[in-house]
Amino acid sequence: MGALAEIADILGPRLSTGESVRALHGRNEAHFPPTLPEAVAFPETTAEIAAIMRACAAHGLPITAFGTGSSLEGQHLPIRGGLSLDLSRMDRVLAIHPEDQIAIVQPGLTRTRLNADLRATGLFFPVDPGADASLGGMAATRASGTTTVRYGTMRENVLALEAVMADGAVIRTGSRARKSSAGYDLTHLLVGSEGTLGIITELTLRLHPQPEAISAAICRFASVAAAVDCVIAVIQSAIPMARIELVDETMVRGFNLHSGTDLPENPHLFLEFHGSPAAVAEQAAAFREIADGFGVAGWQDATTTEARNALWAMRHNAHHATGALEPGKRTLATDVCVPISKLAEAVVEAQDLARAMGLTSAIVGHVGDGNFHCGVRVDPDDAAEMARALEFSGRLAETALRLGGTVSGEHGIGIGKQKYMAAEHGAALDWMRTLKAAFDPACILNPGKMLPPEG
Amino acid sequence: MGALAEIADILGPRLSTGESVRALHGRNEAHFPPTLPEAVAFPETTAEIAAIMRACAAHGLPITAFGTGSSLEGQHLPIRGGLSLDLSRMDRVLAIHPEDQIAIVQPGLTRTRLNADLRATGLFFPVDPGADASLGGMAATRASGTTTVRYGTMRENVLALEAVMADGAVIRTGSRARKSSAGYDLTHLLVGSEGTLGIITELTLRLHPQPEAISAAICRFASVAAAVDCVIAVIQSAIPMARIELVDETMVRGFNLHSGTDLPENPHLFLEFHGSPAAVAEQAAAFREIADGFGVAGWQDATTTEARNALWAMRHNAHHATGALEPGKRTLATDVCVPISKLAEAVVEAQDLARAMGLTSAIVGHVGDGNFHCGVRVDPDDAAEMARALEFSGRLAETALRLGGTVSGEHGIGIGKQKYMAAEHGAALDWMRTLKAAFDPACILNPGKMLPPEG
C-alpha cells in the first residue's frame, strides 16, 4: 500500500486529491509559479498527524504544512510534490489562562480569531503580520508585525509547543512557566524552521494586558531620511513606542488609491502609544518634541477607536494597496532588516535603486525594528521586468548584509531567499544542514525549503 | 604528541597544570565535590580556541568552559577531566553602538564591568544574576535576574554570537539587526546549552536606555500568600514593573544578620519602577493601591540613589546572607519556575516542606516571572542532612513539574538536575540527545552535563 492509501485509511474523505483543492493549496500570494501537491490532508488531531507522518516516513513522501497560504516566500508550496497538510480544521482555542497570561491554541487558528476570543479577558495577542495568518504558520516562519517594537516577534511570544517530528514522535517543548534554563531550547529551534524540522500541532502563546489607554497619530515628513532619523532618535529615547511604522511616498499613493484617502504624498510615520491615559499623553508629547527637531510637516491625531482602527486597517492593507499602484500586475514582496543606525541609508538606497531600475516599489516598514518591506509591481509575463524585480530584491539583500543586517526580517527564506543563505550565515550554514540531517534524515519535511542545494 | 602537548605549543605558558590553578577551576559555590581538570588553558583569541578545539577533537580530550566559576549546578566543573578553558583573558568590550543599542563583547567580561563601560552612553545591560558572572557564562546557562520581568532573560538580550564548534569551526549566528527570519535560530540554540554544543567566543548584546527616573520601595506583608497574590494581581494589571522580588521571612532574617539591617521578619516585596518621573510616580501609586487590597503591612520608599543601591546590594547578596543563617554550613541553592497562577501554592509548599524536614531554607524569588530560589543550609559532612536537602530539592522540582513549570528557571541543569530531565521533557529529551550527537559526536564539549546518562 502506498503512502496516500495509508493516509486515506486514516482520514477517509478528509484526504482529497481533487484538482481544485490541490490547486488551492498550490497557489501563493507572491510571485512563485503554482505547484500542486499530490493530495491534501485535513487532519483533526495530533494523533492523526503523527500517523500521517509515519506513513510519509515509511514511503518517503514529502509533507508540507499549510495554514492560510499567506506566506510570502513560498513556504507552503509543495515544490517536491507529496502531501499538503492543511491545518485549518485544527483551529480551536484549547485553553485561556488569564492569570498566567497564556493561551493554548491549535495551529490552524488565525490571529484575529484568537484576539476575538480574548476580548473579554483584558488580554491580547500582539503579533500582527499583514495577513490574518494562522498562528502555526506565524510560529513556523517567525513572523512579526507592527507591534514588535514593543511586544516582540513570535520568538518572544511562543512559550511552548507541541510538534510532530519526522519519525512521527510527538514532543512537547517548553512549559507554562515564563522562562526556563532546563535543556536545549527546542521551542525556539522550531520557531522559524518553516516546517522543515517538525510540524507544530499546538502552541502556548504569551498574552499581554490590553493597555488602559491607546492613542495613535500620523506624522508627515519632508523626506524619508528625516522620518527615519526621527525614528532613530525616538528609539534611543526611552519612549516605549507600541507601533512606529514608516510609509513612503509611493505607498501613500497606493493607500490613497485603495482606500480613497487623500493623504499628502510624503513619507509618513504611523504611530501608536500604549499605557495609562497620563502615560500615553506624555509619550505622544515627548514624541512630538523629538519629531519637531526633524522638521515634522504635519501631525494628525487618531484618538477615537474608529479613527485608530481605520488607520491600522489601512496599514494592514498595504499588500492590496500596493496592488492599486499598477493594476493587473503582481507584487514581488521582499523584506530586509538592518541595524537601526543604517536604516535611513538602506531605505534611501532602496528608493533610489527602484527609481534607477524603472520599477514601482512601495515601502512600508516596522522601522522601530530596522525592518522594511518593498512591494515591487511586476508583470509575470514580462520576463525582463521580472528579472529586474528579482535583481532589485537581490541587491536589496546584499545591501542589508553589507550594513550588518539580515536578508529577511519577517517573511523568511522559503524558496525565494535560499540564494542568500551562504552569504548571510557563512560557516553557520553547515550547522543548519547538520541540524536538518539529524532531525529529518530522509528529508520529507517541507523539502527544498530554506536550505539551498549543496555544492 | 598528546592533546595537552599540542595545546602547550599553542599557548606556551598560558597552559597551566599547576595544582593550585587546577584546584581553583575545580571548585564551586554549590554543594558539589571539587573535580580538577588535567590542565587549564587561558586563550586570548578565538583562533586560539579553534586550534585548542581541534587538538581536543583529535585526541578526544574533554573541554569545559570556565567564566567566573559562579555556576550553581556545577556547569563549569570538569567532571570527566580534560581541559578547563578559562575565558578570563577574553574580557574586552569590542564595540558599543549606542545608536543600535548593542554592545559586542568577549565572553570573559563580567556584567558589572560592561555596565561600568556603558555608564556614559545612557544605556545599560539589564540581566543581573546574583553573582558578577561572565557574560559568556550567563549566555551559556540562559541566566536571568531581578529585571527579567521587564527586560527579559539572556534569551531576549543576546542578539548574535560567535562560537567555536566541536570540530574547531568558527561560526557566527544572528546579526546586528534586531530580528530575523532567515534560517534556524542557532543563537538561541547555543544560549542555554551549557557549553555542550559549542564554546561562545563573542556576544552581541541588546542594550536598553537608562530610564529617565527610577524609584524603589520595600513592601511588607503578613504572609507569603498575601505577598504572592499581590504579585499576581500586579502582573495582571498593566503596571510595567522593572523589578518585583519576593523575600521570605527566613531570608529577611539572613539579610538582617548579614547586612546589619533591622527589617521586620515578615515576607517582603522589593520593588523598582522605571520610566519618566510622572510615569514612575503613577506606577508606584497604582502598585500601592493594589497592595492595599492584600493588606500591606508596611511600605518604605527608596527614592535616593544611595537607598536604592543599598536595597539591591542587599538583594544581590542573598547567597552570602543565606550563609549567615547557619554559619559553617554550605548552601544548597535550588531554583524552580512555575506559572504565576501557581506561585503562592509552590512557595507555601516549599516553606512547609522545609519546616517539616527540619531544614533552614531561605526563599528569594523573581516572582514576576514565577521563579524562586530556595537556599538550604547543609553541613556537607552530615550525610543525613545532605540527603534531606537533596530530597527537598527533588520534591520541589516535582512540585514545579506538577504545577506546569520547569525544574530550573535560571540556574540550569549542569550536574545537579539531570535526574529531572526525562520527567520535564518526555520524548523531547530524545531530540536533545539527537542534537548533541549531531553537534558533538565524540562528546568532548562539557561531557556529562545537562543530558542524563541513557538507559
Side-chain angles (χ1 to χ4, degrees):
Chain A
M1 193 157 64
L4 291 182
E6 282 181 33
I7 295 165
D9 269 2
I10 299 163
L11 296 179
R14 288 186 282 110
L15 180 72
S16 172
T17 52
E19 180 72 19
S20 66
V21 172
R22 289 166 55 218
L24 207 63
H25 290 77
R27 71 182 191 190
N28 69 102
E29 293 192 16
H31 61 284
F32 303 101
T35 51
L36 271 53
E38 291 170 52
V40 181
F42 294 90
E44 292 179 346
T45 65
T46 298
E48 283 182 353
I49 296 176
I52 292 167
M53 190 71 83
R54 285 192 296 271
C56 289
H59 299 276
L61 189 77
I63 178 167
T64 299
F66 183 100
T68 63
S70 58
S71 70
L72 290 174
E73 293 293 352
Q75 284 92 340
H76 67 278
L77 293 177
I79 55 172
R80 298 279 158 77
L83 193 71
S84 177
L85 189 79
D86 184 313
L87 294 155
S88 61
R89 286 176 179 238
M90 290 176 67
D91 66 343
R92 282 184 302 137
V93 176
L94 299 174
I96 297 172
H97 299 284
E99 66 291 6
D100 292 320
Q101 304 186 340
I102 59 176
I104 304 175
V105 306
Q106 291 189 311
L109 182 74
T110 66
R111 63 179 181 85
T112 61
R113 287 204 26 236
L114 172 60
N115 276 314
D117 271 25
L118 290 173
R119 210 159 285 150
T121 64
L123 299 167
F124 77 111
F125 183 72
V127 187
D128 64 339
D132 185 18
S134 69
L135 290 155
M138 286 166 61
T141 55
R142 207 182 293 130
S144 49
T146 63
T147 64
T148 290
V149 64
R150 172 75 161 263
Y151 299 100
T153 73
M154 287 305 277
R155 195 184 80 195
E156 285 77 28
N157 288 290
V158 175
L159 213 47
L161 293 172
E162 179 192 75
V164 174
M165 308 303 281
D167 65 351
V170 179
I171 67 168
R172 289 189 163 272
T173 71
S175 76
R176 283 168 53 191
R178 288 206 178 187
K179 65 181 191 183
S180 172
S181 290
Y184 301 138
D185 191 347
L186 298 181
T187 305
H188 295 94
L189 188 58
L190 289 167
V191 169
S193 67
E194 302 189 351
T196 65
L197 299 179
I199 304 278
I200 295 169
T201 50
E202 187 186 297
L203 304 93
T204 300
L205 300 173
R206 190 164 173 175
L207 309 175
H208 298 264
Q210 287 167 13
E212 195 188 343
I214 304 178
S215 81
I218 297 182
C219 184
R220 180 157 51 90
F221 291 86
S223 72
V224 157
V228 174
D229 286 339
C230 173
V231 171
I232 296 173
V234 165
I235 295 297
Q236 282 183 64
S237 79
I239 302 174
M241 297 303 301
R243 286 169 154 157
I244 181 163
E245 297 280 308
L246 173 72
V247 174
D248 86 341
E249 47 272 49
T250 309
M251 190 70 251
V252 171
R253 184 152 49 88
F255 284 149
N256 285 340
L257 288 168
H258 184 258
S259 308
T261 45
D262 59 351
L263 293 171
E265 290 184 12
N266 292 119
H268 283 70
L269 294 177
F270 288 14
L271 313 171
E272 195 165 273
F273 306 98
H274 291 178
S276 68
V280 157
E282 189 185 44
Q283 291 167 31
F287 185 101
R288 252 197 111 149
E289 199 179 311
I290 293 174
D292 281 339
F294 294 91
V296 59
W299 179 281
Q300 196 183 321
D301 284 308
T303 43
T304 66
T305 306
E306 293 74 35
R308 213 173 59 235
N309 287 348
L311 192 168
W312 295 114
M314 177 162 73
R315 168 62 190 86
H316 276 119
N317 275 325
H319 193 70
H320 299 297
T322 305
L325 288 168
E326 291 188 10
K329 292 190 176 184
R330 300 198 69 169
T331 296
L332 188 146
T334 189
D335 94 294
V336 295
C337 189
V338 298
I340 203 158
S341 64
K342 308 294 183 187
L343 187 58
E345 185 177 345
V347 170
V348 169
E349 200 171 305
Q351 287 188 324
D352 289 349
L353 184 63
R355 208 172 292 122
M357 295 180 80
L359 294 166
T360 297
S361 158
I363 291 182
V364 281
H366 312 313
V367 281
D369 310 317
N371 181 209
F372 66 96
H373 308 290
C374 297
V376 185
R377 294 298 285 168
V378 282
D379 176 354
D381 298 326
D382 179 343
E385 188 174 63
M386 183 56 104
R388 282 207 315 286
L390 289 171
E391 192 194 329
F392 171 80
S393 172
R395 287 176 62 180
L396 190 60
E398 283 162 19
T399 296
L401 294 179
R402 174 170 51 79
L403 297 175
T406 172
V407 299
S408 178
E410 56 184 22
H411 295 178
I413 298 299
I415 308 168
K417 290 198 164 166
Q418 292 176 20
K419 50 184 168 292
Y420 315 119
M421 285 288 279
E424 175 156 347
H425 297 294
L429 180 58
D430 299 336
W431 297 87
M432 294 188 192
R433 292 193 199 283
T434 299
L435 203 47
K436 171 72 174 174
F439 275 54
D440 180 23
C443 201
I444 58 170
L445 289 167
N446 208 3
K449 301 296 170 59
M450 186 187 284
L451 299 173
E454 284 190 73
Chain B
M1 194 156 66
L4 291 182
E6 283 182 32
I7 297 166
D9 269 1
I10 301 162
L11 296 180
R14 287 187 282 110
L15 180 72
S16 172
T17 53
E19 180 71 19
S20 65
V21 172
R22 289 164 56 219
L24 209 62
H25 290 77
R27 69 182 191 189
N28 68 104
E29 293 192 16
H31 61 286
F32 302 102
T35 51
L36 271 53
E38 290 171 52
V40 182
F42 294 89
E44 291 180 347
T45 65
T46 298
E48 284 182 352
I49 296 176
I52 291 167
M53 190 72 85
R54 285 192 296 271
C56 289
H59 299 277
L61 190 75
I63 179 167
T64 299
F66 183 100
T68 63
S70 59
S71 70
L72 290 173
E73 294 292 352
Q75 283 94 339
H76 68 278
L77 293 177
I79 55 171
R80 297 274 166 38
L83 192 71
S84 177
L85 188 80
D86 184 312
L87 295 156
S88 60
R89 286 175 178 241
M90 290 176 67
D91 65 344
R92 282 184 302 138
V93 176
L94 299 173
I96 296 172
H97 298 285
E99 65 292 6
D100 292 321
Q101 304 187 341
I102 59 175
I104 303 176
V105 305
Q106 291 188 310
L109 182 73
T110 66
R111 64 178 180 85
T112 60
R113 285 201 31 234
L114 172 60
N115 277 314
D117 271 25
L118 290 173
R119 210 159 285 152
T121 63
L123 299 166
F124 77 112
F125 183 72
V127 187
D128 64 339
D132 185 19
S134 69
L135 291 156
M138 286 166 60
T141 55
R142 205 183 294 129
S144 51
T146 64
T147 63
T148 292
V149 63
R150 173 75 161 263
Y151 299 100
T153 73
M154 288 302 279
R155 194 183 82 196
E156 286 76 28
N157 289 288
V158 175
L159 213 47
L161 293 173
E162 179 191 78
V164 174
M165 308 305 279
D167 64 353
V170 179
I171 68 168
R172 290 190 163 272
T173 70
S175 78
R176 282 168 53 189
R178 288 204 178 189
K179 65 181 191 183
S180 171
S181 290
Y184 301 138
D185 190 347
L186 297 182
T187 305
H188 294 93
L189 188 58
L190 289 168
V191 169
S193 67
E194 301 190 351
T196 64
L197 299 179
I199 303 278
I200 295 169
T201 51
E202 188 185 296
L203 303 92
T204 300
L205 300 173
R206 189 162 173 177
L207 308 175
H208 299 264
Q210 288 168 12
E212 196 188 341
I214 304 179
S215 81
I218 297 182
C219 184
R220 180 158 50 90
F221 291 86
S223 70
V224 157
V228 174
D229 285 339
C230 173
V231 171
I232 296 173
V234 165
I235 295 297
Q236 282 182 61
S237 79
I239 302 174
M241 296 305 300
R243 286 170 154 156
I244 183 165
E245 295 281 306
L246 173 71
V247 174
D248 86 341
E249 46 272 51
T250 309
M251 191 69 250
V252 171
R253 185 152 48 88
F255 284 149
N256 285 340
L257 288 168
H258 183 258
S259 308
T261 46
D262 59 350
L263 294 171
E265 290 183 12
N266 292 119
H268 283 70
L269 294 177
F270 288 14
L271 312 170
E272 194 164 273
F273 306 98
H274 292 179
S276 69
V280 157
E282 189 184 43
Q283 290 168 30
F287 186 101
R288 252 196 110 151
E289 198 179 312
I290 293 174
D292 282 339
F294 294 92
V296 58
W299 179 282
Q300 197 184 318
D301 284 309
T303 43
T304 67
T305 306
E306 294 74 34
R308 213 174 59 235
N309 287 349
L311 194 168
W312 295 114
M314 178 163 72
R315 169 62 189 86
H316 276 120
N317 275 325
H319 193 69
H320 298 297
T322 306
L325 287 169
E326 293 189 8
K329 293 188 175 183
R330 301 197 70 167
T331 296
L332 189 146
T334 190
D335 95 293
V336 295
C337 191
V338 298
I340 204 159
S341 64
K342 305 295 182 186
L343 187 57
E345 184 176 346
V347 171
V348 170
E349 200 170 307
Q351 287 189 323
D352 289 348
L353 184 63
R355 208 171 292 123
M357 294 179 81
L359 295 166
T360 298
S361 158
I363 292 181
V364 281
H366 312 313
V367 282
D369 311 316
N371 180 207
F372 66 98
H373 309 290
C374 297
V376 185
R377 294 300 282 167
V378 282
D379 175 356
D381 297 326
D382 179 343
E385 189 175 63
M386 183 55 104
R388 283 207 314 284
L390 288 170
E391 192 194 328
F392 170 81
S393 172
R395 288 176 62 181
L396 190 61
E398 284 163 18
T399 296
L401 294 179
R402 174 170 50 79
L403 298 175
T406 171
V407 300
S408 179
E410 54 184 21
H411 295 177
I413 298 299
I415 308 168
K417 289 196 164 167
Q418 291 177 19
K419 48 184 171 292
Y420 316 119
M421 286 288 279
E424 176 156 347
H425 297 294
L429 181 57
D430 299 337
W431 296 86
M432 295 189 192
R433 291 192 198 284
T434 298
L435 202 46
K436 170 72 174 173
F439 276 54
D440 180 23
C443 201
I444 58 170
L445 289 167
N446 207 4
K449 301 296 169 59
M450 186 186 283
L451 299 173
E454 285 191 73

